């Protein structure tokens, strides 16, 4: 059982930046890939960014050029650097991990972009 704990959410003004962290309870080397999802009020949960075990990344079109996903294997942590934030980025952000046939979710961290 992989436990994921997100942190770093909060209130930020439009155009600002935040960095989310996702700490895994065990080595990320054993995890096939990790990702960040988000769910805005009244909407479905959508994939934001994904990073594979080899470091390959992919992003939702709306965040390309603004968000960067990265991983620190020594700290068993995945990050989401979010720049040029917009009101539309307001959501609960969830960390996700996949190992074999098993999927794991964190409890989420709220990001609010508002002036």
């Amino acid at each position: 059982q992989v436990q994921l704990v997100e942190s770093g959410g909060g209130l930020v003004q439009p155009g600002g930046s935040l960095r989310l962290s996702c700490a895994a309870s065990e080595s990320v080397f054993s995890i096939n890939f990790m990702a960040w999802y988000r769910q805005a009020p009244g909407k479905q949960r959508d994939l934001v960014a994904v990073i594979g075990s080899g470091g390959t990344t992919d992003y939702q079109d709306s965040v390309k050029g603004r968000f960067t996903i990265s991983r620190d294997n020594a700290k068993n942590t995945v990050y989401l650097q979010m720049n040029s934030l917009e009101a539309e980025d307001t959501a609960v952000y969830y960390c996700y991990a996949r190992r074999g046939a098993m999927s794991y979710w964190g409890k989420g961290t709220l990001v609010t972009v508002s002036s």
Side-chain angles (χ1 to χ4, degrees), residues 28-104:
V28 297
F29 279 118
S30 68
I31 297 173
N32 299 109
F33 63 88
M34 297 185 72
W36 286 95
Y37 283 74
R38 67 185 180 188
Q39 187 167 19
K43 296 188 177 181
Q44 67 181 20
R45 190 174 298 188
D46 291 328
L47 178 65
V48 176
V50 59
I51 185 165
S53 58
T56 56
T57 60
D58 200 6
Y59 299 89
Q60 180 189 104
D61 284 347
S62 68
V63 307
K64 285 182 179 178
R66 300 189 297 123
F67 291 10
T68 303
I69 188 171
S70 63
R71 60 196 292 167
D72 184 334
N73 293 334
K75 296 182 178 180
N76 298 335
T77 300
V78 173
Y79 302 98
L80 185 68
Q81 177 66 44
M82 305 186 294
N83 300 326
S84 302
L85 283 161
E86 305 167 354
E88 293 73 21
D89 296 316
T90 294
V92 177
Y93 284 70
Y94 296 91
C95 184
Y96 169 89
R98 180 70 177 266
R99 185 174 64 188
M102 299 299 294
S103 294
Y104 304 94

